[in-house]
Amino acid sequence: MARSMGIPAIVGAGEKADEIADGDLLLIDGAAGEVVAQPDEQTLADFAERQKADAAHRAMLAQYKDKEGATSDGRRVIIEGNIGTPDDAVRVAELGGEGVGLFRSEFLFMDRTDLPSEEEQFAAYKKACEIMQGKPVIIRTLDIGGDKEVPALALEQEQNPFLGYRAIRICLNQPELFLIQLRALLRAAQYGDLRIMFPMISSVDEVRDAKQVLEQAKDMLTAEGVPFNSNVKVGIMVEIPVAAVCADVLAKEVDFFSIGTNDLIQYSCAVDRINEKISYLYRPLHPGVLRLIAMTAKAANENGIEVGVCGEMAGTAGMAPVLCGLGVTNLSMSASAMLAAKADLAKHSYDECRELADKLLACASASDAERIFTDWRES
Ligand code: PEP
Ligand code: MG
């Protein structure tokens, strides 16, 4: 959230943070992951220099605002923004986002004791579409459970919440809840290029079941004479390893894929994404993760559907060329990362991206891949 608002932030400072007293002057370099409390003159001057360099870098990036995402030889990679509220779309539009690649609709359901009504949801989705003025807006249906709580649903505590009753599993189990959201989405789709995305898909059955509930929502609206757009594109998050492995089958069922690398890495490397103690095992460049992404992209490309990445990896510095080389066609990230991703892509040809991706795919370990990636970034 801090990133999407352009606020420098540091996490995982641990006990060190206890040494900071109220009123202390702090210098924060979010990019370097550095905090200095009560800086001396020299450090203050050093940070002022960094700020100046950062401002110059931002000015350079501004030239990409109205440009489309593409490699130096014109291979298109659509650069989009992730949002949690409709108002976040303003920043995506201002910074030249080519769409919203992920609207995490669950934020409408959190931090409150009741559930948002169909009207409230409709207004929020419509607003996002209107702000984006006809550009694609991918709205993910309710993705709760795991680390995200919705008090009104009073979900039971579970031993393994990330593997438990969450996301599409809840929606398919509680169709009355799901139908309200789908009705709101279908109605809002009259105001832009709204697309519906189902999270945490692990099988074709779930896709078909979810699409059936969507048809039911359409039937209800038709019967009631409520206007809506029946021609909405439907996609899925590929974030469970079996979905990536079965991407060839799933690609025949949907209009687009979006790879959720945050969860894909968590599940494929069996590493809790919020556990600091084992974060060293959380490796986006693990060759196994890269193979899953390549496999998903290949299936999408062969079936003529778009394949995006909307996890943190999409907006990580230098990753855009890697993902493009792996065959990904869309990248969705926090608004503040979009210009740098366009700049990263524009520096390389598609062949160079593919060469890099092939080298990374051929690595025996994440460490080897990270070394190659760092050398390539510095060359
Ligand atoms: C992901 O899993 O990569 C993703 C984008 O979804 P979330 O971070 O909301 O789980
Ligand atoms: Mg996810």
Side-chain angles (χ1 to χ4, degrees):
M1 198 166 287
R3 189 170 297 156
S4 74
M5 296 168 85
I7 299 171
I10 300 282
V11 293
E15 285 168 10
K16 281 274 177 201
D18 299 340
E19 293 165 20
I20 299 168
D22 277 352
D24 275 1
L25 175 65
L26 293 182
L27 296 176
I28 296 180
D29 182 339
E34 199 181 323
V35 185
V36 185
Q38 300 291 61
D40 56 26
E41 285 301 316
Q42 182 54 47
T43 316
L44 266 172
D46 173 43
F47 264 68
E49 276 305 311
R50 285 195 218 178
Q51 262 184 326
K52 236 202 258 166
D54 188 55
H57 183 61
R58 279 169 200 271
M60 182 283 287
L61 290 180
Q63 63 173 304
Y64 290 98
K65 188 175 117 23
D66 297 319
K67 293 195 178 143
E68 294 183 329
T71 58
S72 58
D73 54 341
R75 161 93 178 183
R76 281 281 279 132
V77 179
I78 298 166
I79 303 294
E80 301 168 309
N82 290 353
I83 64 172
T85 69
D87 289 325
D88 295 343
V90 173
R91 227 170 109 71
V92 174
E94 278 172 2
L95 288 170
E98 301 184 70
V100 165
L102 171 64
F103 180 165
R104 290 181 161 100
S105 72
E106 56 274 11
F107 284 108
L108 299 176
F109 292 70
M110 293 162 69
D111 293 324
R112 57 191 290 170
T113 51
D114 60 345
L115 291 170
S117 65
E118 179 180 321
E119 281 317 304
E120 185 181 338
Q121 291 188 56
F122 164 67
Y125 306 147
K126 176 176 177 233
K127 189 171 180 190
C129 288
E130 285 175 343
I131 293 168
M132 292 312 293
Q133 299 187 348
K135 291 186 175 140
V137 176
I138 297 179
I139 304 188
R140 177 173 77 184
T141 59
L142 195 53
D143 183 6
I144 43 158
D147 58 338
K148 297 176 195 139
E149 271 182 54
V150 169
L153 292 178
L155 299 174
E156 278 173 32
Q157 293 277 340
E158 296 182 346
Q159 293 257 0
N160 291 301
F162 278 110
L163 301 180
Y165 185 56
R166 57 172 297 196
I168 196 70
R169 302 166 183 187
I170 297 178
C171 289
L172 291 177
N173 187 244
Q174 301 190 35
E176 62 291 352
L177 175 76
F178 199 19
L179 277 167
I180 293 171
Q181 180 166 42
L182 294 174
R183 287 171 56 109
L185 288 166
L186 289 166
R187 289 172 54 201
Q190 297 173 102
Y191 301 91
D193 183 359
L194 185 155
R195 305 174 185 187
I196 297 175
M197 175 157 74
F198 302 128
M200 292 292 295
I201 291 294
S202 65
S203 71
V204 164
D205 296 336
E206 281 169 337
V207 180
R208 292 183 183 154
D209 289 348
K211 282 181 16 185
Q212 210 170 348
V213 186
L214 183 62
E215 288 310 307
Q216 203 182 327
K218 289 182 188 173
D219 291 345
M220 284 167 85
L221 292 170
T222 306
E224 292 164 28
V226 178
F228 67 99
N229 179 354
S230 66
N231 225 347
V232 176
K233 288 193 171 148
V234 173
I236 57 167
M237 297 275 301
V238 175
E239 51 187 344
I240 299 182
V242 287
V245 174
C246 296
D248 56 334
V249 181
L250 289 163
K252 302 202 164 43
E253 304 281 329
V254 293
D255 301 311
F256 63 91
F257 284 157
S258 186
I259 305 174
T261 45
N262 302 340
D263 277 315
L264 187 64
I265 297 166
Q266 157 165 269
Y267 294 129
S268 56
C269 298
V271 53
D272 182 344
R273 65 192 247 189
I274 53 175
N275 187 336
E276 273 297 320
K277 234 187 200 156
I278 48 163
S279 60
Y280 69 96
L281 291 171
Y282 190 92
R283 315 282 279 270
L285 289 178
H286 190 300
V289 172
L290 298 179
R291 289 180 199 196
L292 290 170
I293 295 172
M295 201 181 262
T296 308
K298 182 167 180 278
N301 292 329
E302 284 176 359
N303 285 279
I305 63 170
E306 287 185 5
V307 51
V309 169
C310 63
E312 284 295 304
M313 192 174 174
T316 302
M319 282 296 175
V322 174
L323 294 167
C324 166
L326 289 171
V328 166
T329 58
N330 299 48
L331 295 172
S332 190
M333 59 198 72
S334 62
S336 57
M338 294 186 311
L339 292 174
K342 284 186 187 174
D344 268 343
L345 277 170
K347 272 191 274 184
H348 305 283
S349 68
Y350 182 45
D351 276 350
E352 284 167 0
C353 295
R354 273 202 307 208
E355 231 170 80
L356 172 66
D358 286 346
K359 264 193 207 155
L360 297 174
L361 279 169
C363 284
S365 69
S367 320
D368 288 353
E370 285 157 6
R371 211 168 305 118
I372 289 176
F373 176 68
T374 308
D375 289 350
W376 184 79
R377 289 268 295 151
E378 286 167 2
S379 66

